[in-house]
Amino acid sequence: AAFHDAGTFDQNGPEGGANGCLLTHPPMRLEPENAFLDPPLNTLQAVMDAWHASPFTCINVSHADMLQFAIFYATVRQSGNPDTLLSTLPLTASANAKINKLITEFLWGRSDEPNCDTVWTHNLPGFTTPSSGGPIPGRCAGAGQEIEDKMMNRNGFTDEEATVLIGAHTIGMLRNTFGPGLASPWVLNGLDNATPNGPVFDKAFHHFLINDIVAPDLPTFASAPPGSTAPFNQIFPDWFRDSISGVGHLDTDVTLAFTPTAPPVAHPDYSVFTTAFAANNNHFLTTFFEALQKMSRLGVTDPLFSAGPCEPPCPDAPDGGITLESTVRLVKDIGNATAWADEAIRKVQEQRKDEINEKTTEVVPPHDDTTQPT
């Protein structure tokens, strides 16, 4: 969700950016690039509503800040050994280090855009390209070009930054774009119950692309599908799935695994960076958080600032700033937000049933002699 807000930025305009429109402007959710993001968005809105409804809250948090802090919080909390950061028990050294990182490194101060435009969603990478449904090499080339056009030429990321940011898929889920029952993780680390404290954020996404995909190169991967596309045994027009583990990857994921083969080279060789991240988790995390900081500032012209010392500005504020009553109310509101999100998903799936049927109908990619290994 954070990228789908910030990734509306086009440096050539400029337009869009990390401006909160994904939360404040409901039509943004109806765009194909943002479909089925209702669960996280409704949850974040419930948290914001609870924060601002408290009589002891004297600090205004923008929707733009909330979206960017959410991904920073999630990736920091789930990195290494996922920790609980709220507990009546003494926190671990790792948890305390994460809390310090959250306090000292995130920058606040983004204002919400009052004049949002759904046209900005065209700056986000799309699921479907003109090559979708065609030969696998063409699909990968089209997906690689989509990353280059949107994330590099428009958003302003380098090829390395684009590759590392897509690694956030490690703790992501393929949303309900593909219908009931197919909202699967990219890697098993991403399952909500991967550990007692949730999924693990690390290099697993890139490691999968380099080490779990059996084929050593794109010609081999495309040579005799579905046997050659292992571990994927289901091939759809613009994504691949392993029906045994449930893991699924989009064309824009798979293209990161291979050196492009089309002459002339159709897009940067993202696999160079994928290989480096797969081999070194510290390198992945360092590069990711540097790129994430850049992402969180796309299109932002406001002066940003770090969190300062906490001085209770409100009279009669309880110690800790949160009461049992407000906690119970927040849990109830998040439950309602989830129920509303489920209903929104059901309606969109019904409205797009023909599109979903097309995306979930297995295909045999057309034969392409140029993909045969020598």
Side-chain angles (χ1 to χ4, degrees):
F3 173 72
H4 283 247
D5 194 53
T8 57
F9 177 67
D10 184 352
Q11 62 184 349
N12 304 301
E15 63 185 18
N19 54 26
C21 286
L22 191 57
L23 271 173
T24 63
H25 192 55
M28 296 293 262
R29 299 193 191 192
L30 302 179
E31 294 299 305
E33 294 82 359
N34 294 331
F36 308 110
L37 283 172
D38 294 276
L41 294 177
N42 284 12
T43 298
L44 290 178
Q45 188 62 58
V47 171
M48 286 197 65
D49 291 344
W51 173 264
H52 290 128
S54 171
F56 305 115
T57 299
C58 299
I59 301 172
N60 182 58
V61 176
S62 70
H63 295 82
D65 275 348
M66 174 62 81
L67 280 161
Q68 298 311 314
F69 183 72
I71 189 172
F72 186 58
Y73 179 88
T75 50
V76 168
R77 183 186 189 275
Q78 302 309 133
S79 60
N81 294 317
D83 293 287
T84 178
L85 304 185
L86 296 173
S87 175
T88 56
L89 300 175
L91 296 175
T92 65
S94 171
N96 282 316
K98 291 177 180 180
I99 290 172
N100 183 66
K101 183 180 180 73
L102 292 170
I103 293 172
T104 60
E105 295 187 16
F106 186 78
L107 298 178
W108 302 84
R110 298 163 190 77
S111 58
D112 290 333
E113 168 61 52
N115 300 305
C116 301
D117 193 335
T118 56
V119 171
W120 299 341
T121 61
H122 297 171
N123 297 323
L124 293 163
F127 288 123
T128 302
T129 73
S131 303
S132 295
I136 290 175
R139 285 171 51 171
C140 286
Q145 290 168 342
E146 184 75 356
I147 294 170
E148 181 179 22
D149 177 39
K150 303 296 179 61
M151 295 187 73
M152 295 175 63
N153 296 342
R154 301 193 194 189
N155 296 162
F157 295 115
T158 66
D159 45 3
E160 182 180 39
E161 290 168 339
T163 304
V164 78
L165 285 172
I166 296 174
H169 287 172
T170 295
I171 55 172
M173 294 281 285
L174 283 171
R175 290 164 284 144
N176 296 279
T177 301
F178 304 125
L182 293 178
S184 62
W186 273 271
V187 290
L188 296 182
N189 269 18
L191 290 170
D192 288 342
N193 61 354
T195 77
N197 285 315
V200 181
F201 181 62
D202 60 10
K203 65 177 186 177
F205 171 80
H206 294 101
H207 185 275
F208 178 95
L209 292 175
I210 298 302
N211 296 290
D212 288 55
I213 292 180
V214 176
D217 51 51
L218 183 54
T220 304
F221 184 78
S223 62
S228 63
T229 59
F232 306 118
N233 57 6
Q234 292 181 292
I235 303 174
F236 301 101
D238 47 22
W239 65 295
F240 301 82
R241 184 171 187 265
D242 174 6
S243 65
I244 297 174
S245 67
V247 166
H249 282 246
L250 308 170
D251 287 3
T252 45
D253 301 313
V254 173
T255 193
L256 303 179
F258 301 118
T259 298
T261 59
V265 175
H267 57 77
D269 185 359
Y270 308 111
S271 71
V272 173
F273 307 109
T274 302
T275 301
F277 298 140
N280 189 318
N281 193 57
N282 288 334
H283 175 53
F284 164 71
L285 289 174
T286 298
T287 309
F288 177 84
F289 283 113
E290 289 174 352
L292 185 65
Q293 184 179 73
K294 178 176 178 177
M295 185 194 89
S296 71
R297 300 182 187 182
L298 292 183
V300 176
T301 57
D302 306 289
L304 301 182
F305 53 87
S306 301
C310 183
E311 298 179 3
C314 304
D316 303 320
D319 291 339
I322 186 167
T323 64
L324 177 61
E325 179 184 3
S326 62
T327 301
V328 171
R329 186 184 305 116
L330 175 59
V331 171
K332 179 180 178 181
D333 289 347
I334 289 177
N336 289 336
T338 301
W340 295 330
D342 290 343
E343 178 61 17
I345 288 172
R346 186 195 65 78
K347 289 181 178 179
V348 174
Q349 286 178 338
E350 178 61 26
Q351 293 167 357
R352 297 185 175 178
K353 59 184 179 181
D354 291 339
E355 176 188 347
I356 290 174
N357 182 63
E358 180 180 347
K359 287 183 175 293
T360 55
T361 299
E362 293 186 54
V363 299
V364 177
H367 182 68
D368 185 345
D369 289 335
T370 63
T371 70
Q372 298 300 318
T374 57

